[in-house]
Amino acid sequence: MRVYFLYPDRNDDPNKPLPAHADHLLRDLALAPIIAAMANGDQFIAATVQQVLLNSLTDLTQITYRQAALQDCLNHPNVIHALYQIPIKAFELKRKRWLGLFGMHYPSSILSEARAMLIAYLDLLKELRQLADQHRAAFQSPAFSRFFAMIQQELSDDYLVEIEQHLRQLSFRDGILVSAGLGRGNEPGDYVLCKPNQPQKNWLQRLIDPTPSYAYTLPPKDEAGSRMLGDLRDRSLNVVADAVAQAATHVEGFFKILQRELAFYVGCLHLAKRLYALQMPISFPQPLPLTQPYFAAKGLYDVSLALVSQQPVIDNDIEATDAKLFVITGANQGGKSTFLRSVGIAQLLMQCGMFVPAISFSANVCSGIFTHSKREEDVTMNSGKLDEELARMSEIIDQLRPHALILLNESFAATNEQEGSEIAHQIISALLDSQMKLLFVTHLYNFARRWWRMQRTDTIFLRAERQSDGSRTFKLRVAEPQATSYGADLYYQVFGEVAQVASDESTAA
């Protein structure tokens, strides 16, 4: 049986390695709170979610396939949780009752344990079939419609009855019937386990049946004879034991796939529940083709910040048609970095087929998502901050393909204003010429002013709002860059009224 919840087919490798820049994404986009919320204490879900999140999709068909499946999950969360519990129960049963088939050496033991596993698994398959019968009509997505149809077809009533009959026969309560031949030197061989010719007769039938029967009973102390019969039994059961063990392993493999395919969607349900509790909106985004630059968001917020603060957070409304460069300036601690994270997270979630933290969201898919943020000084003193920044930028450039998204946060600020602005201008110009999409949070006024004067149609300027009294709204608006980032506000905030009085006296003098 095949399970295709994450992809319409199996052409994509579900276990492909994480991208080389995965650690930077996890750190710069603050993905840890999101993964923790999705996992809800389940380490398997945490590992699966991280794998899926960081290997985002670019195929619109695959993205919308997952969106439809997730919409079904949000509409019927109890069914999805019940489905996910089936493989959990299977693995818990195995953990409690069996040590594993591959550690056994005797076919009779292998057969006995494999049969016991299949009996336990059969009950779970019946539970799966019951869920399919009860809920198939309520699910609309291609993923779940196909899955439930497959369960009903391959786990039909006749099939389940036949499996039960086979498992009863494999108990061999009345012994086994074996045929054998004689080989060279009259050595026995060609052992074949045979199906009983007829059902076991009751005592009355045996009493009146004139057909002679022959039997030989081993003496109680005939250890050699007992070993020979045991060897004969194991040789006869070898092929059957192998087949039953493979069947048990096959069913277990199905449960493993079912668990992995559902883990991502269960994680999405956990995250949605947390955001509903915070009264923060979610919506399914509209992904657009790779080559169609577009960005529009209403009520976009930083979901990581909401999860950490456990309260509603400020959102933003932005619309930019054909924009490839977003230059984000404005007051310190005005929400610029938070907005940058919110965009990166929303893009990542959209390209995983998930809902996004916004009232509405639409953007073109990107060939990759990359982040470049300022880092602490190199404690080993092997390089300066600017060297380290440029080295990381070089690593990113080596991985880029056309139409990638790059999020730059205070990049190239480890040198003076003039040099940093020139470096930023050269690098960003080259990236735009290579069909990249960039969001750049910066205090490099010379750079921002230079690009503002160019009046390029593919560039939009956003500025963090600051009220006249110095308070921040944490909202971003389309606006011309300013020559100040209002660092004095922070200075007075830290040093208090004394610094303000001193400043006023100095100005008066």
Side-chain angles (χ1 to χ4, degrees), residues 101 114 117-118 121 125 159 163 167 170 240-254:
L101 298 175
M117 288 176 65
L118 284 175
Y121 288 165
L125 291 175
Y159 177 78
I163 293 299
L167 291 175
L170 289 171
V240 174
D242 183 60
V244 177
Q246 288 187 25
T249 302
H250 175 74
V251 177
E252 182 182 348
F254 165 74

Side-chain angles (χ1 to χ4, degrees), residues 69-77 80 268-269 272 276 282 284 355:
L70 180 53
Q71 186 65 68
D72 266 344
C73 295
L74 292 172
N75 291 336
H76 310 283
I80 302 306
C268 293
L269 292 178
Y276 289 151
I282 59 173
F284 280 93
F355 49 76

Side-chain angles (χ1 to χ4, degrees), residues 111 172 174-182 188-197 228-240:
L111 175 61
F172 299 117
D174 299 314
I176 63 174
L177 179 63
V178 180
S179 68
L182 295 176
D190 298 327
Y191 297 102
V192 177
L193 182 66
C194 301
K195 186 177 181 180
N197 294 325
M228 290 179 63
L229 282 180
D231 182 63
L232 173 63
R233 178 184 177 89
D234 282 338
R235 287 172 183 254
S236 306
L237 293 176
N238 188 50
V239 175
V240 174

